[in-house]
Every structure is written in C-alpha cells, then in structure tokens.
Amino acid sequence: GSEIASPMKRRRSNGGHADHQESAHQPGAQASVCDSRNEKIHRDRDGFVRIEPVLTPSRVQPGRRVRVRVTFRLNEKTRPYWNNETKDLGLCIDLPHEIAPMEGQWTFPNPKQPETQEMRSLEFEIAVAKEAAAGIRKLPGYALYYVCERKGGKCRYLRQDFSLALTIDPAAP
C-alpha cells in the first residue's frame, strides 16, 4: 500500500517522535502505521487474530542485529476472514533509542481477493547499538488490521497490542 513509501515516525520510549525521511523500502524504515491517534482504535477483544512474535536470537550482543517474525493466525473456532478491500495489515513497535529498525516488511500487502483466510507474517530486522547497556528490553507494539466476522459478515478495523522481549548481553553467542 501507499503506507510503505511514506515517511515513518519512529516511536521513542520517552514518548517523543524522531522523524525519519527514509521510505520503508530502505534500511531503517518502519511503516507509518505508528500514530498516537491509533490509541482510539477498538481492540480485538473477540480474539479474531492470534499474534505470535518471535525474535532470533532473543539474546544478543550489543552491535548485532535481531531478526523478528510476527505471525498472524485467524481464530480457527470463529473462522473470521481478512478484509482485503481496505488498508493493509500494519505493525508498529515502540523502539528505545538504542534499537533501530532495519530492512524488512512492516505491512502485509492485501491479496486481490476481497476476503481470505491465510496465515500472514511480517519479517524485519532491528539493530542493537554498540553502546547499548546489558539488560532485558520490553518492546511494546501493536498491529492494525481489518477482519470480517464471517464471509460476507460485519467487518471491523481492529488493533491488537503485543510485546517483544529482547535480552542484550555482551556474553551472548
């Protein structure tokens, strides 16, 4: 979608924003789904989507990169559908100053079919600064997506919060 090429705002743990003029096609760019207005979007309280975040490795030395994969699975019991006729699924992660977003996919382009039920995943890298202090970092984030209760049913734009846990350890392999 057009979100990929727009400038991103990298959220900082102090609540401020640092504007970056890179597009999401370049290293260091995170899609522009990060917006304080997203706080008002309804949460996925019905559990239409299950989010499974994985970091590889989850323990890293300062100055190294971490690969992140976030998988989105539709609830098998309620059988919702992705609504592909509007905005792409997008992801925002609140990164502290010592962790930078690198290349990868922060949005999932919608398929051509109006409603689908596939598993979706986003993969990207983050880089830990060489001067990062040792310790555990909780990286809160959220995903925005459109789902329909059933094929041809009521569709909703929803937000789901999640977090990543990263350990910065100079002795990590």
Side-chain angles (χ1 to χ4, degrees), residues 5-63:
S6 61
M8 72 106 170
K9 289 187 185 261
R10 178 172 169 209
R11 293 179 51 96
R12 299 255 182 181
S13 59
N14 65 7
H17 287 85
D19 288 329
H20 291 259
Q21 295 304 315
E22 304 152 345
S23 78
H25 295 294
Q26 299 172 348
Q30 181 177 349
S32 62
V33 297
C34 299
D35 186 324
S36 60
R37 293 174 293 187
N38 291 336
E39 190 62 37
K40 298 176 183 175
I41 296 172
H42 292 285
R43 301 304 198 271
D44 185 356
R45 301 202 194 287
D46 294 320
F48 289 116
V49 177
R50 186 174 76 227
I51 296 179
E52 301 168 357
V54 177
L55 282 78
T56 308
S58 60
R59 194 172 132 237
V60 66
Q61 294 178 5

Side-chain angles (χ1 to χ4, degrees), residues 33 38 41-44 49-52 70-72 82 88-93 106 122 140-146 157-163:
V33 297
N38 291 336
I41 296 172
H42 292 285
R43 301 304 198 271
D44 185 356
V49 177
R50 186 174 76 227
I51 296 179
E52 301 168 357
V70 183
T71 302
F72 303 86
W82 297 111
D88 296 342
L89 177 150
L91 188 66
C92 178
I93 298 177
W106 295 84
L122 298 174
Y142 61 87
L144 300 174
Y145 48 83
Y146 281 90
Y157 187 49
L158 298 172
R159 170 181 166 153
Q160 187 173 153
D161 298 335
F162 67 95
S163 71

Side-chain angles (χ1 to χ4, degrees), residues 64-76:
R64 300 288 179 124
R65 287 185 176 200
V66 175
R67 189 87 185 143
V68 181
R69 178 182 176 100
V70 183
T71 302
F72 303 86
R73 297 181 195 277
L74 293 171
N75 185 323
E76 292 178 8

